[in-house]
């Protein structure tokens, strides 16, 4: 399939290796998968100091954050190891044969799950460990029995190479085929598309921009044989502040929300970007306190120049919108960090305000500002809150503050939130996504291209399995599949 671009030959090579490893890895036992996943977790931890320093050089996310992220990445690799051992990828539903004529009479049917095959995994810029070479997509695909071809993110190439090098050594030590985990890097837009189009690829996992995600989603769907594309493309994460939530004062809650908006320089897919506040005395003082708290935050440098450019463009567009008021005055771009190191210079946080009717009427105000910024929407009734939520497209999260009572209004708000989001919070802030069995990180388009799936938590494994019903299959086959010795 190779054409002119030199990256294409590397992709041909990596996907051929993955293809070759595919049946071996699909037939691997739970203990083989668990051993690999635990080996990968161990090697990350053993090299934590060097890896975190490298990640910090390339991403500027700061050592405390990266230390936590590496720990989370090792934790989720081990979590997927336990899921494999618990038999999750080998689950079966067995319906015994019943005598007689249909529909009551039937053959024996055993539903098993088979791995999809090689998965192309596009690393995200904003999680150099947890959504990168050994992140959740890789861990869940490996646990499901699928080889992974990592497309390294151009924002942290040296870290990707180093983590991959360590992972390859684990694969070799365990005597596994090299194609279980491969890496392609330095790829251009054409090369990314070439990877998705490659006949050896069976599925794609992607976290990144709406534009990039849609471009690759199209490629996946325009192939002669379309393949599943699990994309997480963007989210504005509405947070609704009901009057009851401000009964104990505004300062503390405003401070915690400002911290969430500016966390990681706002470069979280779950960053709260849309704040719905009632236009009453408490609501107005909350908004003022939020603007104060946000303007004292000092976000660090953004991940890449193009993300910074995107942020400046998005806030510039918002600031110049006729219906929008700036709540934090525009200042010169931050020149030097207090430490005097201009490599730390981050953008000023921004907060804007708009009336609910104007928000609903202007779809350009619904776009994500990826960075430390949010838009306050002034609402006057629960009915208006519902209209604003309906105007928002799919979102990873909706946070509802002050809906603890069982009332008709609260039920309507909860229903509206469930309609547009994969996770509904009844307090706190949406940044921070726990890795558990019950986690749901996805949501209607564009939060996810496949809203029935999650990309965080142990449910992520199911994305890479396909159900097959075996009719009147011999017992030895069913037993072997249950034990993971045949796939
Ligand atoms: P991105 O530009 O979408 O890049 C993600 C990955 O897709 C990279 O590997 C990139 O390749 C590749 N890619 C992008 N567009 C492509 C195309 N048209 N054809 C083929 N490959 C393509 O995302 P990013 O660099 O991480 O961040 C940019 C923006 O994405 C941010 O400003 C933000 O708006 C959004 N974002 C969203 C999330 C989220 O969680 N939803 C997370 C991170 C970023 P290269 O590495 O070669 O560029």
């Amino acid at each position: 399939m190779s054409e002119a671009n030199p990256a294409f030959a590397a992709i041909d090579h990596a996907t051929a290796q993955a293809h070759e490893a595919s049946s071996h890895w699909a037939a691997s036992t739970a203990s083989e998968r668990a051993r690999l996943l635990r080996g990968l977790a161990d090697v990350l931890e053993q090299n934590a100091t060097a890896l975190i320093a490298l990640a910090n050089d390339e991403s500027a996310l700061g050592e405390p954050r990266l230390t936590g992220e590496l720990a989370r990445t090792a934790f989720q690799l081990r979590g997927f190891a336990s899921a494999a051992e618990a038999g999750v990828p080998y689950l079966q539903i067995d319906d015994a044969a019943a005598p007689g004529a249909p529909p009551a009479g039937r053959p024996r049917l055993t539903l098993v799950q088979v791995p999809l095959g090689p998965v192309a995994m596009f690393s995200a810029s904003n999680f150099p460990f947890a959504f990168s070479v050994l992140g959740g997509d890789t861990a869940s695909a490996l646990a499901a029995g699928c080889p992974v071809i990592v497309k390294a993110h151009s924002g942290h190439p040296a870290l990707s190479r180093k983590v991959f090098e360590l992972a390859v050594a684990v694969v070799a030590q365990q005597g596994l085929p090299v194609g279980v985990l491969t890496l392609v890097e330095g790829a251009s837009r054409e090369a990314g598309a070439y990877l998705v189009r490659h006949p050896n690829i069976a599925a794609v996992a992607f976290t990144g921009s709406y534009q990039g995600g849609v471009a690759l989603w199209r490629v996946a769907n325009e192939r002669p044989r379309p393949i599943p594309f699990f994309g997480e493309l963007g989210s504005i994460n509405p947070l609704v502040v009901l009057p009851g939530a401000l009964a104990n004062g505004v300062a503390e809650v405003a401070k915690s929300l400002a911290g969430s908006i500016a966390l990681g320089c706002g470069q979280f897919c779950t960053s709260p970007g849309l704040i719905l506040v009632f236009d009453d005395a408490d609501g107005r003082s909350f908004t003022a306190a939020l603007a104060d708290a946000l303007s004292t935050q000092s976000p660090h440098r953004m991940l890449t120049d193009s993300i910074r450019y995107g942020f400046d463009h998005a806030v510039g567009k918002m600031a110049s919108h006729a219906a929008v008021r700036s709540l934090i005055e525009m200042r010169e771009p931050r020149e030097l960090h207090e430490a005097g190191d201009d490599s730390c210079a981050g953008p000023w946080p921004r907060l804007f305000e708009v009336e609910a009717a104007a928000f609903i009427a202007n779809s350009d105000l619904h776009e994500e500002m990826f960075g430390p910024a949010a838009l306050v929407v002034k609402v006057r009734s629960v009915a208006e809150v519902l209209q604003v939520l309906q105007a928002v497209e799919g979102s990873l999260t909706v946070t509802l503050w002050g809906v603890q009572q069982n009332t008709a209004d609260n039920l309507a708000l909860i229903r509206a939130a469930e309609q547009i989001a994969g996770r509904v919070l009844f307090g706190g802030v949406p940044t921070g996504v726990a890795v558990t069995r019950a986690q749901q990180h996805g949501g209607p388009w564009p939060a996810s291209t496949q809203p029935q799936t999650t990309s965080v938590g142990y449910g992520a494994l199911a994305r890479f399995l396909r159900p097959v019903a075996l009719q009147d299959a011999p017992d030895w086959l069913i037993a072997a599949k249950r034990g993971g010795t045949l796939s």
Side-chain angles (χ1 to χ4, degrees), residues 65-361:
R65 145 76 199 268
L66 290 163
T67 302
E69 192 185 323
L70 184 143
R72 170 207 164 124
T73 308
F75 174 87
Q76 76 190 357
L77 282 160
R78 295 197 179 101
F80 280 108
S82 302
E85 284 170 335
V88 175
Y90 311 98
L91 276 182
Q92 298 184 349
I93 299 174
D94 200 23
D95 282 339
R106 60 178 189 216
R108 179 185 186 187
L109 280 168
T110 308
L111 191 69
V112 299
Q113 307 180 75
V114 297
L116 291 180
V119 174
M121 197 289 291
F122 285 74
S123 301
S125 55
N126 55 343
F127 282 93
F129 291 115
F131 278 81
S132 191
V133 179
L134 295 182
D137 285 329
T138 298
S140 53
L142 289 176
C146 299
V148 176
I149 300 101
V150 176
K151 155 66 180 78
H153 196 283
S154 51
H156 50 270
L159 176 71
S160 304
R161 229 169 282 138
K162 183 68 196 161
V163 171
F164 178 65
E165 208 179 284
L166 295 167
V168 162
V170 175
V171 169
Q173 271 158 22
Q174 297 192 4
L176 298 171
V178 285
V180 166
L181 186 68
T182 50
L183 178 102
V184 293
E185 57 171 325
S188 60
R189 300 281 128 119
E190 301 78 54
Y194 183 79
L195 174 62
V196 172
R197 210 180 290 123
H198 205 287
N200 284 337
I201 295 298
V204 182
F206 173 94
T207 305
S209 66
Y210 179 80
Q211 290 75 10
V214 168
L216 293 172
W217 171 80
R218 287 216 171 92
V219 173
N221 284 290
E222 284 166 3
R223 289 167 44 120
R225 192 160 58 87
I227 53 172
F229 184 91
F230 302 104
E232 192 206 306
L233 313 186
S235 183
I236 58 172
N237 304 300
L239 185 148
V240 181
V241 184
L242 290 174
L246 303 178
N248 296 327
V250 298
E252 281 313 304
V253 275
K255 208 166 130 196
S256 104
L257 181 54
S260 176
I261 294 169
L263 190 69
C265 198
Q267 300 166 118
F268 279 98
C269 43
T270 52
S271 190
L274 191 74
I275 320 297
L276 284 71
V277 183
F278 275 72
D279 189 20
D280 56 20
D282 279 352
R284 284 190 286 274
S285 74
F286 171 78
T287 302
L290 180 61
D292 277 352
L294 196 55
S295 58
T296 63
Q297 300 280 330
S298 299
H300 52 66
R301 172 167 67 83
M302 298 197 87
L303 289 158
T304 64
D305 290 345
S306 72
I307 289 180
R308 174 61 192 263
Y309 173 82
F311 178 69
D312 289 345
H313 179 73
V315 294
K317 220 171 110 186
M318 187 64 79
S320 63
H321 199 288
V324 171
R325 195 162 77 89
S326 247
L327 297 178
I328 298 178
E329 278 320 304
M330 183 67 181
R331 294 155 88 169
E332 286 306 303
R334 190 178 295 262
E335 279 148 16
L336 291 178
H337 190 259
E338 289 88 33
D341 175 1
D342 71 350
S343 68
C344 293
W348 291 108
R350 302 301 304 274
L351 190 67
F352 302 97
E353 187 178 60
V354 68
E355 297 286 337
F359 176 82
I360 293 164

